[in-house]
Amino acid sequence: MAKKIAIIMNQDETISIKVDDKLKHTIDDDHKISATAIYDILNFSIGDEFEVSTENEFEIKPEVLSFFAKLIDDIITQVNSTFDSHKVDILPENHIHESVLIEED
C-alpha cells in the first residue's frame, strides 16, 4: 500500500506529520520524537511504499524540517531492506500461530 507522508513546519515551530492527509503526530517546538511515535506514524506492513514530502510555507528552521524528513526516509529505507517483500514469505490470512514455550534447565 502506498502511503504519503507530509512533514510540515508550522508557524509556531511545531512540526505536523500527516499520513495520507490525516494528522498522525505533532512534534512540539522542542523538536523531539520517540521511536514509538515513529513506529505508530509509519504503521508499517510488508509491501508498503512511502513517499515523503516536506512543507515549509514560512521558511522556518529548514534544517530542522530537513533533519526529520531524512530521519523518516532513512528509517523507511532500513525497514524496507530488512523486510524485503521478495525475501519474506507472507503468511496467509487464515494462518494460526501456535505459541511454543521453551523450557530452560
Side-chain angles (χ1 to χ4, degrees):
M1 167 188 269
K3 296 180 182 178
K4 293 183 180 184
I5 299 175
I7 304 171
I8 305 158
M9 177 65 78
N10 301 308
Q11 197 166 10
D12 63 357
E13 296 187 14
T14 60
I15 298 172
S16 298
I17 301 177
K18 295 181 178 182
V19 177
D20 296 329
D21 294 322
K22 295 177 187 165
L23 182 63
K24 293 293 185 174
H25 188 79
T26 301
I27 300 171
D28 293 330
D29 59 1
D30 65 359
H31 299 139
K32 295 181 182 179
I33 188 169
S34 69
T36 302
I38 294 171
Y39 177 83
D40 291 341
I41 291 164
L42 295 177
N43 191 24
F44 180 80
S45 295
I46 293 174
D48 280 352
E49 294 181 13
F50 297 89
E51 179 184 319
V52 179
S53 65
T54 60
E55 296 176 28
N56 195 352
E57 179 181 349
F58 305 102
E59 297 298 322
I60 299 170
K61 296 189 177 182
E63 68 282 357
V64 174
L65 191 62
S66 177
F67 169 82
F68 281 107
K70 184 173 179 347
L71 174 67
I72 297 291
D73 199 46
D74 288 349
I75 291 169
I76 290 167
T77 299
Q78 186 64 40
V79 169
N80 282 336
S81 69
T82 302
F83 295 104
D84 184 345
S85 61
H86 298 289
K87 297 178 184 175
V88 177
D89 292 329
I90 299 173
L91 296 173
E93 287 187 30
N94 62 353
H95 174 76
I96 298 172
H97 177 73
E98 294 181 27
S99 297
V100 177
L101 179 63
I102 300 174
E103 295 183 20
E104 295 183 14
D105 294 331

